[in-house]
Amino acid sequence: ALIITDDCINCDVCEPECPNGAISQGEEIYVIDPNLCTECVGHFDEPQCQQVCPVDCIPLDPDRVESREQLMEKYKLLTEAS
Ligand code: SF4
Ligand code: SF4
C-alpha cells in the first residue's frame, strides 16, 4: 500500500482518482486505507494518486510492503465484495 506523508497540502486532487475509494480526508491530512489500496494493481499500470499529487507526498508505505500477487489478490477480494 501507499501512504500519504505530512507534506500533504489537502488539495483533494487524489481522492476522486482512486479506483478503490481508499483515499479520504483525515483529521489533518488525507489518508489512505491500506486495506483498500492495491497500489492500483488490477485497475491501472501506475498508482493514480501518485500521478496527480502536486507535491509528491505519496510514497510506498515501508510498513506495508506487498508483492504484486498479494496486491492482485486484494484487488480480487475487493471487486468480488462490491
Ligand atoms: Fe488508490 Fe491507487 Fe493510490 Fe492506492 S495507489 S490509494 S489504489 S489511487
Ligand atoms: Fe494530499 Fe497529494 Fe492528495 Fe493533494 S494529491 S490531497 S497533496 S496526498
Side-chain angles (χ1 to χ4, degrees), residues 2 17-20 22-23 32 36-40 47-50:
L2 304 194
E17 298 298 327
C18 179
N20 295 319
I23 305 175
I32 292 174
L36 297 180
C37 175
T38 63
E39 297 175 20
C40 284
Q48 297 300 292
C49 54
Q50 275 183 340

Side-chain angles (χ1 to χ4, degrees), residues 18-73:
C18 179
N20 295 319
I23 305 175
S24 61
Q25 190 169 17
E27 267 176 44
E28 290 180 4
I29 54 171
Y30 276 68
V31 291
I32 292 174
D33 181 343
N35 296 317
L36 297 180
C37 175
T38 63
E39 297 175 20
C40 284
V41 166
H43 293 282
F44 299 100
D45 291 338
E46 301 283 342
Q48 297 300 292
C49 54
Q50 275 183 340
Q51 301 290 306
V52 297
C53 180
V55 294
D56 277 337
C57 69
I58 320 181
L60 271 173
D61 184 346
D63 294 329
R64 293 288 297 237
V65 177
E66 295 153 287
S67 70
R68 206 174 166 82
E69 287 71 34
Q70 286 174 310
L71 293 165
M72 185 54 83
E73 204 49 43

